[in-house]
Amino acid sequence: MQQITIRDALQQSSRDIDDIDARILLQYALDVSHAHLIAHAEQVLDSKQAQSFRLLTTRRARGEPVAYLTGKREFYSLGFTVTPAVLIPRPETELLVDMALALIPPDLPWKILDLGTGSGAIALAIAKHRPLTDISAVDFSANALTVAKTNACELGVKNVRFIEADWFDGFNGEIFNLIVSNPPYIADGDPHLTRGDLRFEPRMALAAEGEALDCIRSIIAAAPTHLVEDGALLLEHGYDQAEACRRLLSEAGFKRVFSRPDLAGIMRVSGGALDIA
Ligand SMILES: C[S@@+](CC[C@H](N)C(=O)[O-])C[C@H]1O[C@@H](n2cnc3c(N)ncnc32)[C@H](O)[C@@H]1O
């Protein structure tokens, strides 16, 4: 069998896949760092490594997301295990974590609810930075919760409990200081769902049944009865949903309603707080 070096492998794969993807997949196949690939460009791959990299390249060329191929994705500078059971955490969702951390006092044991936790990205990033909080993380996908629990273990997080439920079901009478959510917000028939990485991600993590705003509407409507009297709600939403979200928040009785843009300048998170009566 023809021998190939790290340099050859990267060159050959660049015909079929993006250079950065090739580099990440080769690191994964060889279990080495980026620095190693640069410093040892003439290293010859053994047959198992060469075969594994070829297979990964083929799967990537067919569209499978890199994060599902390597089983890893960084979010908020933390390493998360991801499988096709969970949405791959997005960089824009870090805004929601930033905004939650800005609200949560580091020295108080706030109760927090993360609705639609998926890999646990939001709940676990908050938990890591606010160890005194008591966080409940909900998803209706048992398979997603298995991944989230793995992440909690791997990150050494102890202050998050995971609950299988349909949004607020099972929280009768329980109230929180802050509710956060990145719910499905793409309309069921949206053509984006049939393109790129989205084709491989769980449909129930991306698409709201019926109208795109259905999940957001349900969460906003029920949130006030699950918040303390000055509690707050923060929601991630689609690029064109900020105005509708603010209207729904105001109609539900939230005050100081606002939207914030992500790094790309797209309105990405909306929220509001209840007033002390
Ligand atoms: C957009 S993903 C967000 C995942 C994760 N929070 C993140 O930001 O990467 C939405 C999540 O909501 C969950 N979900 C959808 N409908 C739900 C419902 N009715 N009750 C609970 N979870 C739900 C999905 O299973 C999915 O994990």
PDB file of all heavy atoms in Angstrom, residues 4 12 44 61 63 79 90 95 179 186 188 210 213 215 260-261 270:
ATOM      1  N   ILE A   4       1.600   7.415   2.904  1.00  0.00           N
ATOM      2  CA  ILE A   4       1.365   8.862   2.796  1.00  0.00           C
ATOM      3  C   ILE A   4       1.772   9.553   4.098  1.00  0.00           C
ATOM      4  O   ILE A   4       1.646   8.995   5.185  1.00  0.00           O
ATOM      5  CB  ILE A   4      -0.099   9.237   2.423  1.00  0.00           C
ATOM      6  CG1 ILE A   4      -1.084   8.807   3.510  1.00  0.00           C
ATOM      7  CG2 ILE A   4      -0.503   8.698   1.081  1.00  0.00           C
ATOM      8  CD1 ILE A   4      -2.404   9.529   3.370  1.00  0.00           C
ATOM      9  N   GLN A  12      -4.118  15.917  -0.240  1.00  0.00           N
ATOM     10  CA  GLN A  12      -5.079  15.100  -0.996  1.00  0.00           C
ATOM     11  C   GLN A  12      -6.523  15.406  -0.574  1.00  0.00           C
ATOM     12  O   GLN A  12      -7.408  15.535  -1.406  1.00  0.00           O
ATOM     13  CB  GLN A  12      -4.790  13.615  -0.775  1.00  0.00           C
ATOM     14  CG  GLN A  12      -3.545  13.162  -1.512  1.00  0.00           C
ATOM     15  CD  GLN A  12      -3.111  11.757  -1.115  1.00  0.00           C
ATOM     16  OE1 GLN A  12      -3.884  10.996  -0.531  1.00  0.00           O
ATOM     17  NE2 GLN A  12      -1.877  11.419  -1.411  1.00  0.00           N
ATOM     18  N   VAL A  44       4.908   9.558   8.486  1.00  0.00           N
ATOM     19  CA  VAL A  44       4.111   8.648   7.648  1.00  0.00           C
ATOM     20  C   VAL A  44       2.958   8.077   8.480  1.00  0.00           C
ATOM     21  O   VAL A  44       3.163   7.650   9.631  1.00  0.00           O
ATOM     22  CB  VAL A  44       5.005   7.500   7.101  1.00  0.00           C
ATOM     23  CG1 VAL A  44       4.153   6.468   6.349  1.00  0.00           C
ATOM     24  CG2 VAL A  44       6.087   8.071   6.196  1.00  0.00           C
ATOM     25  N   ALA A  61     -17.118  14.848   3.229  1.00  0.00           N
ATOM     26  CA  ALA A  61     -17.446  15.281   1.864  1.00  0.00           C
ATOM     27  C   ALA A  61     -18.934  15.039   1.575  1.00  0.00           C
ATOM     28  O   ALA A  61     -19.546  15.748   0.779  1.00  0.00           O
ATOM     29  CB  ALA A  61     -16.575  14.543   0.858  1.00  0.00           C
ATOM     30  N   GLY A  63     -21.150  15.558   3.754  1.00  0.00           N
ATOM     31  CA  GLY A  63     -21.896  16.595   4.483  1.00  0.00           C
ATOM     32  C   GLY A  63     -21.979  16.412   5.981  1.00  0.00           C
ATOM     33  O   GLY A  63     -22.455  17.291   6.688  1.00  0.00           O
ATOM     34  N   GLY A  79     -14.992  21.933  26.609  1.00  0.00           N
ATOM     35  CA  GLY A  79     -15.121  20.851  25.636  1.00  0.00           C
ATOM     36  C   GLY A  79     -16.399  20.061  25.893  1.00  0.00           C
ATOM     37  O   GLY A  79     -16.610  19.569  26.997  1.00  0.00           O
ATOM     38  N   ARG A  90     -23.766  26.306  19.120  1.00  0.00           N
ATOM     39  CA  ARG A  90     -23.356  27.344  18.172  1.00  0.00           C
ATOM     40  C   ARG A  90     -22.627  28.483  18.887  1.00  0.00           C
ATOM     41  O   ARG A  90     -23.002  28.841  20.021  1.00  0.00           O
ATOM     42  CB  ARG A  90     -24.575  27.958  17.484  1.00  0.00           C
ATOM     43  CG  ARG A  90     -25.509  26.984  16.822  1.00  0.00           C
ATOM     44  CD  ARG A  90     -24.881  26.396  15.579  1.00  0.00           C
ATOM     45  NE  ARG A  90     -25.861  25.888  14.643  1.00  0.00           N
ATOM     46  CZ  ARG A  90     -26.280  24.615  14.577  1.00  0.00           C
ATOM     47  NH1 ARG A  90     -25.813  23.717  15.412  1.00  0.00           N
ATOM     48  NH2 ARG A  90     -27.156  24.244  13.656  1.00  0.00           N
ATOM     49  N   LEU A  95     -23.700  34.272  23.475  1.00  0.00           N
ATOM     50  CA  LEU A  95     -24.292  35.555  23.897  1.00  0.00           C
ATOM     51  C   LEU A  95     -25.311  35.326  25.019  1.00  0.00           C
ATOM     52  O   LEU A  95     -25.353  36.088  25.996  1.00  0.00           O
ATOM     53  CB  LEU A  95     -24.962  36.236  22.691  1.00  0.00           C
ATOM     54  CG  LEU A  95     -25.765  37.501  22.992  1.00  0.00           C
ATOM     55  CD1 LEU A  95     -24.861  38.628  23.504  1.00  0.00           C
ATOM     56  CD2 LEU A  95     -26.523  37.970  21.741  1.00  0.00           C
ATOM     57  N   ILE A 179     -34.944  32.106  33.873  1.00  0.00           N
ATOM     58  CA  ILE A 179     -35.195  31.029  32.908  1.00  0.00           C
ATOM     59  C   ILE A 179     -34.447  31.382  31.625  1.00  0.00           C
ATOM     60  O   ILE A 179     -34.522  32.529  31.153  1.00  0.00           O
ATOM     61  CB  ILE A 179     -36.712  30.861  32.617  1.00  0.00           C
ATOM     62  CG1 ILE A 179     -37.460  30.484  33.901  1.00  0.00           C
ATOM     63  CG2 ILE A 179     -36.936  29.808  31.538  1.00  0.00           C
ATOM     64  CD1 ILE A 179     -38.981  30.496  33.767  1.00  0.00           C
ATOM     65  N   ILE A 186     -36.997  27.328  13.991  1.00  0.00           N
ATOM     66  CA  ILE A 186     -37.065  27.338  12.521  1.00  0.00           C
ATOM     67  C   ILE A 186     -38.410  26.730  12.124  1.00  0.00           C
ATOM     68  O   ILE A 186     -38.845  25.743  12.717  1.00  0.00           O
ATOM     69  CB  ILE A 186     -35.895  26.521  11.917  1.00  0.00           C
ATOM     70  CG1 ILE A 186     -34.554  27.094  12.394  1.00  0.00           C
ATOM     71  CG2 ILE A 186     -35.958  26.517  10.392  1.00  0.00           C
ATOM     72  CD1 ILE A 186     -33.339  26.317  11.915  1.00  0.00           C
ATOM     73  N   ASP A 188     -41.124  24.513  10.283  1.00  0.00           N
ATOM     74  CA  ASP A 188     -41.010  23.118   9.855  1.00  0.00           C
ATOM     75  C   ASP A 188     -40.628  22.956   8.373  1.00  0.00           C
ATOM     76  O   ASP A 188     -39.801  22.127   8.032  1.00  0.00           O
ATOM     77  CB  ASP A 188     -42.341  22.408  10.123  1.00  0.00           C
ATOM     78  CG  ASP A 188     -42.109  21.064  10.752  1.00  0.00           C
ATOM     79  OD1 ASP A 188     -40.935  20.695  10.911  1.00  0.00           O
ATOM     80  OD2 ASP A 188     -43.089  20.390  11.066  1.00  0.00           O
ATOM     81  N   GLY A 210     -45.452  23.399  13.437  1.00  0.00           N
ATOM     82  CA  GLY A 210     -46.316  24.508  13.036  1.00  0.00           C
ATOM     83  C   GLY A 210     -45.467  25.712  12.715  1.00  0.00           C
ATOM     84  O   GLY A 210     -44.460  25.607  12.019  1.00  0.00           O
ATOM     85  N   LEU A 213     -42.507  30.254  15.540  1.00  0.00           N
ATOM     86  CA  LEU A 213     -42.531  30.859  16.886  1.00  0.00           C
ATOM     87  C   LEU A 213     -43.281  30.026  17.929  1.00  0.00           C
ATOM     88  O   LEU A 213     -43.400  30.451  19.077  1.00  0.00           O
ATOM     89  CB  LEU A 213     -43.186  32.236  16.818  1.00  0.00           C
ATOM     90  CG  LEU A 213     -42.318  33.393  16.302  1.00  0.00           C
ATOM     91  CD1 LEU A 213     -43.162  34.638  16.104  1.00  0.00           C
ATOM     92  CD2 LEU A 213     -41.173  33.688  17.275  1.00  0.00           C
ATOM     93  N   CYS A 215     -42.665  27.331  19.795  1.00  0.00           N
ATOM     94  CA  CYS A 215     -41.984  26.992  21.065  1.00  0.00           C
ATOM     95  C   CYS A 215     -41.755  28.267  21.887  1.00  0.00           C
ATOM     96  O   CYS A 215     -41.982  28.281  23.107  1.00  0.00           O
ATOM     97  CB  CYS A 215     -40.645  26.318  20.793  1.00  0.00           C
ATOM     98  SG  CYS A 215     -40.802  24.716  20.003  1.00  0.00           S
ATOM     99  N   ARG A 260     -30.803  41.876  22.019  1.00  0.00           N
ATOM    100  CA  ARG A 260     -29.354  42.153  21.873  1.00  0.00           C
ATOM    101  C   ARG A 260     -28.817  41.455  20.620  1.00  0.00           C
ATOM    102  O   ARG A 260     -29.192  40.310  20.344  1.00  0.00           O
ATOM    103  CB  ARG A 260     -28.555  41.579  23.048  1.00  0.00           C
ATOM    104  CG  ARG A 260     -28.746  42.267  24.341  1.00  0.00           C
ATOM    105  CD  ARG A 260     -27.763  43.419  24.571  1.00  0.00           C
ATOM    106  NE  ARG A 260     -27.983  43.981  25.888  1.00  0.00           N
ATOM    107  CZ  ARG A 260     -28.988  44.758  26.231  1.00  0.00           C
ATOM    108  NH1 ARG A 260     -29.884  45.107  25.332  1.00  0.00           N
ATOM    109  NH2 ARG A 260     -29.124  45.202  27.462  1.00  0.00           N
ATOM    110  N   PRO A 261     -27.906  42.132  19.907  1.00  0.00           N
ATOM    111  CA  PRO A 261     -27.321  41.495  18.719  1.00  0.00           C
ATOM    112  C   PRO A 261     -26.148  40.572  19.072  1.00  0.00           C
ATOM    113  O   PRO A 261     -25.463  40.789  20.067  1.00  0.00           O
ATOM    114  CB  PRO A 261     -26.828  42.692  17.900  1.00  0.00           C
ATOM    115  CG  PRO A 261     -26.534  43.756  18.906  1.00  0.00           C
ATOM    116  CD  PRO A 261     -27.422  43.513  20.101  1.00  0.00           C
ATOM    117  N   SER A 270     -33.539  37.885  23.156  1.00  0.00           N
ATOM    118  CA  SER A 270     -34.490  38.857  23.713  1.00  0.00           C
ATOM    119  C   SER A 270     -34.843  38.406  25.123  1.00  0.00           C
ATOM    120  O   SER A 270     -34.755  37.211  25.438  1.00  0.00           O
ATOM    121  CB  SER A 270     -35.746  38.974  22.855  1.00  0.00           C
ATOM    122  OG  SER A 270     -35.412  39.556  21.619  1.00  0.00           O
TER     123      SER A 270
END
